[in-house]
Amino acid sequence: MTRAYIGLGANLGDPPAQLRTALAAIDPLGRMLAVSPFYRSAPMGPTDQPDFCNAVCALETGLAAPALMDALLAIERGMGRLRTVKWGPRLIDLDLLHVEGVHCATETLTLPHPGIGQRSFVLVPWADIAADTTVPGVGLIDEAARSVDRTGLRRWESG
């Protein structure tokens, strides 16, 4: 069993509901250890789209990283995710951020996920659930979360 960290994001439909649906679909892939609070963040890339709802979860799983990534992509497809515009609006986005003890760079999977060290919408929720995690190329999640620019990031509130 290994510990995996998954980033979740959505900005179409009812984003918090989309995240809850995805979390329910992820749960059978192992044992859910923790789920961060939901955060609101401005979109990366095209700015003419709604804010994102983001979270990070920790999952203990027996799946190898490629199989876990395949399962996450299947969840996205099952929820209606269409990949049409890079960084565009989406019903759900599931990113395999890090799998403890795994480093890989293939055509379909790079671990740790590239760019996480600069993304407040990943680091801050991750620090909420596993601040003491050390990620190659990023360092201690708590330190990275404290030093990242948090402009536009805030807790998701209903209404």
Side-chain angles (χ1 to χ4, degrees), residues 2-16:
T2 58
R3 186 168 295 190
Y5 297 93
I6 300 162
L8 300 93
N11 72 340
L12 295 177
D14 180 348

Side-chain angles (χ1 to χ4, degrees), residues 11-31:
N11 72 340
L12 295 177
D14 180 348
Q18 295 292 100
L19 266 59
R20 288 189 293 273
T21 298
L23 287 163
I26 291 167
D27 190 54
L29 302 178
R31 183 171 65 96

